[in-house]
Amino acid sequence: MVERRVMEGSHAVAHAVRCCEPDVVSAYPITPQTHIVEKISQFVADGDLKSNYMRVESEFSAMSASVGASATGARTFTATASQGLMLMSEVLYNASGLRLPIVMSVANRAMGAPINIWNDHSDSMGVRDAGWIQLYAEDNQEALDMTIQAYKIAENQDVMLPAMVCMDGFILTHTYEPVSIPKKEKVKEFLPEFDPEIKLDPENPLTLGTVGFPSDYMEIRHEQYQAMENARDIMPKVFSEYEEKFGRTQNTLTENYKTEDAEIILVSLGSIMGTIKEAVDELRENGKQVGAIKIKAFRPFPDQELIEGLQNAEAVAVLDKNITLGKKGALYTEMKDTLYSADIKPQMTNYIVGLGGRDIPRQSIKNIVQQTKDDLNNGQTREVRFVDLKEE
């Protein structure tokens, strides 16, 4: 039987971690992530989770402790957000280069300055090339499910890469929703104990993290590249196995929503997809041929799924909760790269939305659709548009 309860997103992730039984949890607080590691500490104190819970002095230490523990073959977990993710950024690359399948929750929050504790995707997009798998949750149930799935993907011997599960700060972390919590025994059947082929062991000494001379460095990076490509193939299999075990359909790297006959397709990731789907429903009631595609995995990037999903679209509106200064939104630039070598050439517009927690009502989504339609009819005049920007 599955236990169904109403809880905030942070606690849903904590329950997922409890079911995965990591050997080591390294914790340092930062808003809006703190509730995740607080709840896990309660599980440990109550005896519901038998993990080595390490309170460290910074995010740099949190990731360093995770690297050390994972190198010995321990299943590890940590969580962070925003500036905390930046402080551990040096070690993120080490975790990936050492092929350590650490799982981390990122409660997405804007980057300072100015100081801002609310949501956008500037933090995780800033480390998109650190060699980590990146998953983005639409709601609290997905945040729970993706945390369990992330271990299964990351610990696959053909992958062995760290994974971050991104969930929108406050919008998901502090919002209460109904969540189905799987039984720990069922999760054990899905996720066996972690037993890596290579690990630090006093009985069989070896060295990890040595210098990579020019004669070998490129080969090491190529192996990482290939591991991420392997993840692209393994993820749908993991999603399908999860669906079979727990009954929730999540078997692709993207989710298409009413795209079959859509003239205009909205593409984005994270919690904004709930608002987008509601806007699509209302627009369809008024005869608009609109659909949406949700990106669930940003790394590896779902190139083929997007090409197939956009086959019939005349125009694509890409909604980014981040901005690469001097360029465009990260999702938009990745999608243009994907479609450059494809046979389809829809009109594409990048809409920058919700930076620093700015609210994104349904009407703003409808306005985006109307603007995209106008550009389609009259000829596109601007490639990047900031949505709901104050004029004064």
Side-chain angles (χ1 to χ4, degrees):
M1 293 292 291
V2 173
E3 182 183 2
R4 190 161 175 82
R5 292 166 53 185
V6 176
M7 64 178 66
E8 63 177 63
S10 294
H11 290 181
V13 171
H15 276 280
V17 173
R18 177 182 56 81
C19 292
C20 295
E21 297 186 312
D23 302 293
V24 175
V25 176
S26 59
Y28 188 78
I30 182 171
T31 301
Q33 170 281 132
T34 305
H35 288 192
I36 296 175
V37 290
E38 277 184 350
K39 186 66 174 177
I40 292 173
S41 73
Q42 189 65 56
F43 286 142
V44 173
D46 293 344
D48 294 328
L49 173 61
K50 300 187 185 312
S51 289
N52 186 343
Y53 189 91
M54 302 175 63
R55 291 174 294 174
V56 295
E57 71 274 21
S58 71
E59 287 87 355
F60 187 91
S61 296
M63 185 48 60
S64 297
S66 297
V67 165
S70 185
T72 68
R75 179 173 287 164
T76 60
F77 175 83
T78 190
T80 192
S82 188
Q83 253 74 7
L85 184 62
M86 295 303 111
L87 186 55
M88 61 171 62
S89 61
E90 176 188 344
V91 197
L92 295 180
Y93 286 82
N94 291 335
S96 175
L98 291 168
R99 309 291 298 277
L100 303 174
I102 300 161
V103 170
M104 173 169 62
S105 290
V106 175
N108 287 114
R109 170 185 143 181
M111 295 295 302
I115 296 172
N116 181 297
I117 64 170
W118 294 275
N119 167 249
D120 67 30
H121 296 151
S122 303
D123 51 1
S124 56
M125 287 299 172
V127 296
R128 61 188 181 275
D129 293 329
W132 284 58
I133 294 164
Q134 284 195 353
L135 303 174
Y136 285 81
E138 177 185 345
D139 53 32
N140 292 349
Q141 184 67 63
E142 249 186 12
L144 182 151
D145 293 337
M146 284 179 170
T147 301
I148 299 170
Q149 294 162 355
Y151 278 109
K152 183 89 169 184
I153 298 163
E155 294 175 0
N156 185 292
Q157 289 299 317
D158 293 327
V159 179
M160 292 298 286
L161 289 173
M164 62 179 71
V165 178
C166 303
M167 61 189 302
D168 289 342
F170 291 113
I171 298 172
L172 294 184
T173 57
H174 289 60
T175 297
Y176 281 69
E177 294 178 347
V179 174
S180 295
I181 306 169
K183 292 292 185 186
K184 188 182 285 189
E185 295 73 22
K186 294 279 285 184
V187 174
K188 278 187 174 181
E189 295 173 6
F190 173 78
L191 182 68
E193 289 189 9
F194 179 44
D195 185 20
E197 294 177 0
I198 300 173
K199 60 184 177 183
L200 294 177
D201 182 356
E203 300 298 322
N204 297 288
L206 56 81
T207 300
L208 292 179
T210 58
V211 63
F213 289 104
S215 58
D216 301 312
Y217 187 88
M218 277 193 67
E219 284 70 23
I220 294 169
R221 280 290 177 265
H222 180 261
E223 287 180 2
Q224 277 181 271
Y225 170 82
Q226 193 57 54
M228 191 65 83
E229 291 300 304
N230 293 343
R232 189 192 306 280
D233 297 330
I234 287 165
M235 289 167 77
K237 298 174 185 174
V238 171
F239 295 155
S240 294
E241 186 182 348
Y242 194 85
E243 177 184 357
E244 185 178 334
K245 181 72 71 178
F246 300 103
R248 286 188 286 281
T249 304
Q250 300 174 4
N251 56 4
T252 60
L253 278 63
T254 60
E255 177 188 320
N256 296 348
Y257 188 75
K258 301 184 178 180
T259 56
E260 293 80 6
D261 62 343
E263 175 188 44
I264 297 173
I265 294 181
L266 306 164
V267 182
S268 194
L269 42 73
S271 65
I272 190 177
M273 289 306 305
T275 309
I276 289 176
K277 289 174 182 175
E278 290 181 0
V280 166
D281 289 344
E282 291 183 10
L283 289 165
R284 286 220 162 235
E285 289 175 359
N286 294 318
K288 308 290 186 184
Q289 290 178 277
V290 182
I293 295 179
K294 176 173 75 175
I295 307 288
K296 296 195 295 187
F298 191 81
R299 286 289 183 271
F301 197 74
D303 299 288
Q304 192 56 42
E305 289 88 344
L306 279 169
I307 291 171
E308 293 171 2
L310 297 173
Q311 281 293 325
N312 300 318
E314 294 184 35
V316 179
V318 182
L319 281 63
D320 264 299
K321 276 186 166 182
N322 70 90
I323 178 67
T324 299
L325 303 177
K327 194 66 175 172
K328 303 175 181 69
L331 176 58
Y332 181 77
T333 52
E334 300 273 346
M335 285 191 60
K336 289 206 79 172
D337 169 72
T338 295
L339 297 183
Y340 182 79
S341 57
D343 294 331
I344 56 172
K345 303 294 178 192
Q347 171 191 284
M348 292 185 67
T349 308
N350 191 191
Y351 293 93
I352 307 299
V353 300
L355 299 184
R358 179 73 61 86
D359 193 25
I360 311 166
R362 284 197 302 277
Q363 187 57 50
S364 294
I365 305 297
K366 293 178 183 178
N367 294 342
I368 287 172
V369 172
Q370 185 59 53
Q371 182 64 61
T372 304
K373 180 67 174 176
D374 291 345
D375 285 348
L376 198 58
N377 293 335
N378 305 322
Q380 188 179 25
T381 57
R382 289 165 59 185
E383 191 176 9
V384 181
R385 297 177 185 275
F386 281 65
V387 175
D388 296 337
L389 197 64
K390 290 185 285 190
E391 297 294 332
E392 66 272 19

